[in-house]
Amino acid sequence: MNAPDRYERFVVPEGTKKVSYERDTKIVNAASFTIEREDHTIGNILRMQLHRDPNVLFAGYKLPHPLQYKIIVRIHTTSQSSPTQAYNQAIDDLDKELQHLKKAFESGFMLLQSVVEEERRKNKKIIWFKTQEHDALCAVL
Amino acid sequence: GGGGGGGGGASYQRFPKVRIRELRDEYAKFELRETDASVANALRRVMLAEVPTVAIDLVEVEVNSSVLNDEFIAHRLGLVPLTSDAAMAMRFSRDCDACDGDGQCEYCSVEFHLAVRCDADQTLDVTSADLRSTDPKVCPVDVARALDADPTSYDSTAADQRGIIIVKLRRGQELRLRAIARKGIGKDHAKWSPAATVTFMYEPSIHINEEMMETLTLEEKSSWVESSPTKVFDIDPNTQQVVVIDPEAYTYDDEVIKKAEAMGKPGLVEIYPKEDSFIFTVESTGAIKASQLVINAIEVLRQKLDAVRLQEDTDLGELSAHLHGGG
Ligand SMILES: [Zn+2]
């Protein structure tokens, strides 16, 4: 009866910020980002993308507790960059990678489907074929 | 303070490559290269738990004299996969302002009706085919598939087009209800997951030390080949050489490596996973096509990333912290 609503796991409560940011008091160019209602999906891709940035000295994330629906991303950079700059850059780069990936999938799927449609018009049976660009086997009922 | 959308910073972006191997409406197999496991795993996780679909979420029972209780039937109805091509564009009921989160308007929900009564001596099956949708875009996937194949000959009582059984009625029993289907994600409840399975594996790279292999007799070769629980290697009948016939059958079980050591031939084979190459299999429940599932997952992941961008006021917070001596 008093169970919390299931959506509490992924809906940010009103009045709570999605991302908050706290600078380290002892180390320069170090900060922690608290991201509400996110988990390993975002935490791990952010961390790995940050590792590709040579100005990032440390990047890590933790999910403090499975019932606290937030992650904490910690970033330490050289003086050539800053945690916020590295954080923004990582998101931009991931977004561009995903845009590229989406186009790659769309063109691949479209190519296969158009060949399938053509084959289907010729004979209505199950077909197996290879396309040159994708070298893919494809069957459509 | 850093601020600004990564302005001026160098880009460390990757350009992954895709090769689609097999594609059917409900199944896709493809290679993903030139990215890392974090991206592969994020895609898998989003496909399973965060790509939205439509599923029955509210049931109002008018009459139920069947052997199953109302909750049991409501749960079964929720698990019926519904065609969900419209889901990406739909609203979640909780943030729909057209119905104030009531969840009963055209932007965030689809209404279903079911009314079946058994008046014969034979048991009557109530199935997903008995669900009457108020929106032709959203209906049980098995019904949609049958209609798609041949709209003229659709017969909901035919054995092969019977639909998903919900409950069985005997003479005099009746089930009558109204159901509301809503947009949701697998993270909320598994009934909204569009994925039956999503898996990926590292592509294995297998190197046989040919020189050492040639020191083995044919019997030794064949016992080494047989030591693999899956059929990865074979012996060429003409040359009697050990060849890799199916690298992807390797399950990273290390058996052939242990066998080589036991035979006193350590280093006979080297197998390592290619850290940037993945082989995916995607199986959909039918709610959306497998190809669409992949595309939607990428789009959802982009939306998630966009939501975690630093907002203007976050940057201001940093600035004021700066002005006040770093807090
Ligand atoms: Zn609504």
Side-chain angles (χ1 to χ4, degrees), chain B residues 238-260:
Chain B
N238 300 317
T239 64
Q240 301 196 339
Q241 270 189 318
V242 174
V243 285
V244 179
I245 53 161
D246 187 4
E248 282 161 36
Y250 187 59
T251 58
Y252 294 96
D253 47 65
D254 275 1
E255 290 298 326
V256 285
I257 291 159
K258 284 183 210 153
K259 178 71 178 174

Side-chain angles (χ1 to χ4, degrees), chain B residues 91-93 96-109:
Chain B
R91 299 177 187 170
F92 287 107
S93 287
C96 177
D97 38 29
C99 62
D100 271 336
D102 193 36
Q104 310 217 1
C105 80
E106 56 177 323
Y107 299 105
C108 69
S109 55

Side-chain angles (χ1 to χ4, degrees), chain A residues 6 87 92 97 136-137 139, chain B residues 20-21 24 35 188 308-309:
Chain A
R6 287 198 310 257
Y87 181 88
D92 285 343
E97 174 173 343
L137 274 173
Chain B
I20 300 156
R21 285 191 185 174
R24 276 171 272 146
T35 188
D188 189 344
V308 302
R309 282 177 195 280

